[in-house]
Amino acid sequence: MNADEAAEALPRLALASLILPALAVTLLTFLWPLLRLAGYAFHEGAPGGAIGADWTLVTWAKVLGDGWHHRLVLNSLALAATVTALTLAAAYPLALAVHRSPPRWRNTLVIVFVSPLLLSAVVRSYGWLPILGDQGVVPGLLRSAGIEPPPLLFNGTGVVVGLVEILMPYAILSLLAGFGRVAGDLEDAAASLGAPPFTVFRRVILPLSAPGILLGGLLTFVLTVGSFVTPKLLGGGRVPLIATEIHDQAIVTLDWPVAAVLSLVTLLLFGVLLGAYGRVIRRVEEAIG
Amino acid sequence: MPPMPETLTLDRLEKRFGTAPPAVAALSLTVGAGEMLGLLGPSGCGKTTVLRMIAGLAAATSGRILVGGRDITRQPAHGRGMGLVFQNYALFPHMSAAANIAFGLQMRRLSARDIRDRTRRALDLVRLGPLAERRPKQLSGGQQQRVALARALVIEPNVLLLDEPLSNLDATLRADMLAEIRDLQRRLGITAVFVTHDQSEALAVCDRIAVLRGGRLEQVGTPREIHDRPASRFVAGFVGRVNQLPAHRAADGSLSVHGHALPGDSADGRAGTVQLLVRPHHIRLDAPATAVPDGDRLRVGGVLRDRIFLGDRTTLTVMVGPTPVSVEWQGSDPPAALAPGDPVALSWRRTDMSVFPEDDPP
């Protein structure tokens, strides 16, 4: 009896039981806290971090009816769109260079480009202070070029710059994962058929790398919406976002029900986003064969 | 109508990678207008590098490439107008068969109507009309190969370059495709370079064959010249099957093989150990008693060791001293009375034999 037959002989139930440990861990560490969170959302917060005993929709009405929270969501979406576009623009050429490099170089290059992940985002965010700060490197360079630098820190610009830098390794990795169809001989074929380099890029490389762009885009977008350390440090409290608001409500104001409602709204947002990504990626995969 | 075919000339073409010995060294070759030249050699001999330099996908270190007398050595690939067929076809996976073929025409900014008409004709040329809208992955290997061929031909290239185009097909398909490529190339009268490591492909379809070895040209000639009059032991061994018999050459040019004296060849060459090269199908095998003396033939004796029936022919192995010699017997059965262990007489025409000094490396 070989292994396949052995597997078939096992009752389905016995096979299903093999996933029980993983299922148990997931339930305990992910689903249970999530349900608790959902529970908080249907209570009312009381002063001093207490949570009301009654089940109520008051918190939902309060949060959803408040224009401030609408602005937070729009801010987060706008920031995520900007950061995603800039991160992809910065990461794409690097990822393409890694993909096209000879195999013996490729691993080394991947390690080089991903190594920033070894440093915490907190440290890397602080690193931008002496670079973008008023007396920092970039304003200094601008001044010596005769340009009065605009404020680059403690506003949207600083947050965008910091997030782009922090998210680039993720973008490069996911772009590389989606570059499987981009092959050198296709570029050679297009060139031999008369396509100049930019046309090769537009007609062959770009369409074939679409799965990588989509994956990298999704990841960057989601990570931006969820980020709060970098916006706090580089935004200086002047860039209100949904993630920073959740943090403040949970840690500073101690209004857990409000934090829970905002979290669930964000979760819903991600669900919609994932669904859209699934539909688009399926059509793209079909289109590029 | 396709344009008039043009000659392709390689003039002392050289490719070096770093300080290593050149991958292609001082290669000079001319491919006549409308001729199909085979670039034949083992893997790593530089044949694909030569093709990539012709196509403009690799830069020549030195030397020149001319098409119809025009120097194109410094022209980028997209300006050369060469039709290239890749070993793995390199079809664009995101485009239909028709769109793959139309790509080169779009690059030439033809009118939409011209593009449609010429794409349609190219599809018909390779008998893929009904599959025009299929994606490459919905096509079989042979169909993909024909799309690749149509894509390269539809742009009416100066030169058609084929890089091992058959190596990914199974044996029966390969023979069909070989005939189809040959037929198309002749019909369109296009100048072509066919890179292959398979000598039977090269012999079958090429007007002339250039044998490369370690980046150098070993011999160039018609398939028959290459096969029947190899310039070196390497060519003899690489093109077709060949027996190598060590022999001794005396000062007067006479040869001896394991005690059998053979009348000398023209007394050029030095005395010493030599290798006699004879192809299996050039050797006649007789029982010693029935062997008729023939002044034109060289004769040695041996002992039959083995016979293998292959349907349309029989391969026999005969030991001449310690050296096994294979003999190919075409058509009807060889004398049935001959059994392993029997003495036999081998003979071949003097003109079918090549003699190379021992120090000419195989």
Side-chain angles (χ1 to χ4, degrees), chain A residues 181 185-197 199-200 202-204 207-208 285-289, chain B residues 52 57 77-78 81-82 84 86 88 90-95 100 103-104 106-108 135 137 151-152 155:
Chain A
R181 291 184 187 79
D185 54 1
L186 296 179
E187 297 173 37
D188 288 347
S192 79
L193 290 167
T199 308
V200 175
R202 190 173 53 83
R203 296 279 317 264
V204 178
L208 292 180
E285 296 273 358
E286 260 168 42
I288 64 178
Chain B
R52 290 181 64 81
L57 299 171
H78 65 267
M82 304 254 173
L84 194 49
F86 292 79
N88 62 356
L91 296 177
F92 306 126
H94 57 306
M95 299 183 198
N100 264 281
F103 187 89
Q106 290 161 353
M107 293 304 118
R108 280 159 181 73
R135 289 295 173 78
K137 72 171 178 195
R151 185 176 70 173
I155 60 170

Side-chain angles (χ1 to χ4, degrees), chain A residues 209-225:
Chain A
S209 60
I213 297 174
L214 280 172
L215 182 62
L218 175 78
L219 202 65
T220 314
F221 198 96
V222 167
L223 288 173
T224 302
V225 171

